[in-house]
Structure formats: structure tokens, C-alpha cells
Amino acid sequence: MNELKRATDNDRLIVLDGLRRTGKTSLLKVFLNDTENFKAFIDCRHFVRGNVIDSVEFNNALIDSIEKETKTGKFRKLLESISSMTIRDVQLSFEKSRRQRNLASVLKKLDTTLERKSVKFIVALDEAQNLRFYGKGGRDFLNLLAYTFDNLKNIIFILTGSEVGLLFDFLKLEDPDEPLYARYITEITLKRFSREESMQFLIAGLDEIGVNFNKSDLEKVITTLDGVVGYLAIFGYEVYKNGPDFETALERAGVMAKGLVKKEIDSLLARSINYGYALKAVAFGMERYSQIKKYIEANFGPIHDSTLSNILNGLVKQSFLEISFSKSMKSYSIPDPITSSFCASMNLKQ
């Protein structure tokens, strides 16, 4: 919260990233609820249709969210304090047909309005890596971000992403031929809790609902669910919903967590069974490229080197795998214990 507050006070393009279920969306929503700035929130996943985002549909949804914020009493009071402005001045762009409304024009009008009171407007885009499907491989939206960064000093974009590699591939920050090259971006990365932080989180949450467990029970929860705050929150919710039966709550939390993982893995397998082969190999402790290839070929048949490289790179970019180095040797691991357990148990066919 403090880092986000400092970033929105001083910067205008912020990336909030981290592995799945480390609390990015929850943190963002709490921050937006707490901030004194005006804001609009969009979940970019909602607009993906295959490998395409309808830019008109997306723009309309974002403009609708901005319009909703401008109709709040707080915003009206701001306008009333600016003698030359009325709510109609901001609504002019909203009154056009839905296919004619221009997002850049709306943002410019907002910036002009807010500049007079030194107030900022936050545009929060959840799972923003999906914007790579928005117009010309995402370039149209990158141009909008660059235009806003260069010209609209009171508009702040916060982008979240759990597929961190894909998000930064989309932003293309280091490519001199791309719109955001040389623009300063603030990155805030959420990580898994340490065991101590996990324990503090569970104790604080359980105390709020008047339930006490001994530390040995909570240690078992942490060992099973690791420091993934999303899983720890599921356990806490199961206790809240169904009562202080420790074993039942942990079992139900595990089942729910595996359900979330299954949905994600099923989506991967629908694209290529090779993702499943690679994940199963790593789940069984095959850390090196050569070990993964040998395991796949021994159990599922031949796989070309370029195919396996592309599969592993894709899994890293989507945060299903992490890379580490020891003595210049690359190793792969599955950072999420539930995902690792699920992948080890997958029944895959050739």
C-alpha cells in the first residue's frame, strides 16, 4: 500500500506484478478504495475473444467506468469548485455514439479538468498482458500509453500481470522501435509470504473471526499451501464459512485450490499437450533441459529441441515455471506447490 501510494504520488505508469494468487488484484482494489484520487478499474480478461480484443468494446467499457466516476458527488464537487467547468464539459465525449467515442479524447478532457485542481485519475487495468491482443498486436494501446505518459500529467495507469513475461513482452520497454521505449515505469512485485509472514497472516485473520488454532496446525497449513496468500485466504474462508474443523478446512482449501489450478492447466493443454509433458517432468524433479527432454521422450515420445525450448519459454513467461542458475547451469522449477502436486498427478496420453 505504501509503495503504491508513493508511486501514484510521483509516477504515472506503474506495473504491479507477481505470481498467480500473490494478492495483486486484492491489493489494487483495496488501494483504489482507499485513495483520494479518482479511479476506473477494468479486468482485461473479460474482453479476450480467442486471440483478439474488440477495441471498441474495451474502450466503451473503460469510458463507461470513467463516466461512472465523473458522476459521483465527489467529482461534481470538484467541478463546482472550478468556476469555468461544468459536468457537461466532461460529458461531451460520452454523449457520442458508442462506436464514435474516443478514449484518448476522454483522457485528454479529464486531464484538462483535473489539472486545475492538481487531482489525479487512476486507470487500473487488471491482467494487462491480455492487451497484447488489442489492435495490431497491442501496439495501438502502447501508443495510447505513450501519448498519455508524454502529454497527460494527471492520468496514471496501473497495470497488473500474473503472466509477468508476457506482460513485459507486450510493453516492449527495451525496444527502441516501440512506443514505450525510454519511458520510466515503476515496477512493484508481490512475492509469496515467508513462513513467518504466512503465520502472522493466518493468526491475524483467524483472530478477526474469533477462531484459534495451535501453531503446529498452522504450520501444517503453511507447509501444504506454502506462502501463496490466495491459498491461505481460501483456508481462512473455509474456517469462516464451515467452522473451526482444522482438517476439514485444510482439505476443502486444497480441493478448491486444485480446482483453480486445473482450470489453468486445462487451458494450457487445450493449446498443446506438450505443456503438460514439460510440467509433469518438472513436477517429478527433472530440473535441467536435458532431463526434461529425456523424461518426455521416455514417457510420451520424441519432441524436437525447438518445440521443447518454446514450450519451456512459454511456461516461464506465463509464470508456471521459474528459472534459477547454479554454477551457470539453468534449472526449472514450479513455484506453486499446488500446481506442482497437480501436475505430478496428471494422467497424460501420447
Side-chain angles (χ1 to χ4, degrees), residues 118-146:
S118 299
V119 179
K120 297 177 180 179
F121 198 105
I122 297 172
V123 179
L125 303 177
D126 201 21
E127 298 296 352
Q129 69 274 356
N130 290 292
L131 290 170
R132 69 191 189 276
F133 300 129
Y134 177 111
K136 301 175 185 175
R139 190 178 179 86
D140 285 351
F141 202 85
L142 294 179
N143 282 324
L144 176 68
L145 289 177

Side-chain angles (χ1 to χ4, degrees), residues 110-178:
L110 272 175
D111 182 71
T112 300
T113 305
L114 298 173
E115 187 175 12
R116 307 189 186 192
K117 295 296 290 185
S118 299
V119 179
K120 297 177 180 179
F121 198 105
I122 297 172
V123 179
L125 303 177
D126 201 21
E127 298 296 352
Q129 69 274 356
N130 290 292
L131 290 170
R132 69 191 189 276
F133 300 129
Y134 177 111
K136 301 175 185 175
R139 190 178 179 86
D140 285 351
F141 202 85
L142 294 179
N143 282 324
L144 176 68
L145 289 177
Y147 165 77
T148 303
F149 188 96
D150 293 343
N151 299 286
L152 309 182
K153 307 304 182 183
N154 298 287
I155 306 296
I156 301 168
F157 276 91
I158 301 178
L159 314 179
T160 80
S162 55
E163 296 175 332
V164 182
L166 291 181
L167 177 57
F168 280 94
D169 277 355
F170 159 63
L171 294 174
K172 299 181 178 69
L173 301 175
E174 298 178 358
D175 188 337
D177 294 325
E178 294 299 326

Side-chain angles (χ1 to χ4, degrees), residues 19-27 190-194 197-198 200-202 221-222 225-237 253 257 260 336-337:
L19 297 175
R20 290 172 174 80
R21 290 174 282 276
T22 48
K24 299 178 295 299
T25 303
S26 296
L27 172 62
L190 295 189
K191 300 179 180 179
R192 288 170 291 179
F193 287 170
S194 66
E197 289 167 336
S198 297
Q200 292 173 348
F201 177 79
L202 288 173
V221 175
I222 295 166
L225 303 178
D226 204 358
V228 181
V229 65
Y231 296 151
L232 298 176
I234 290 173
F235 169 78
Y237 178 73
L260 294 173
D336 183 333

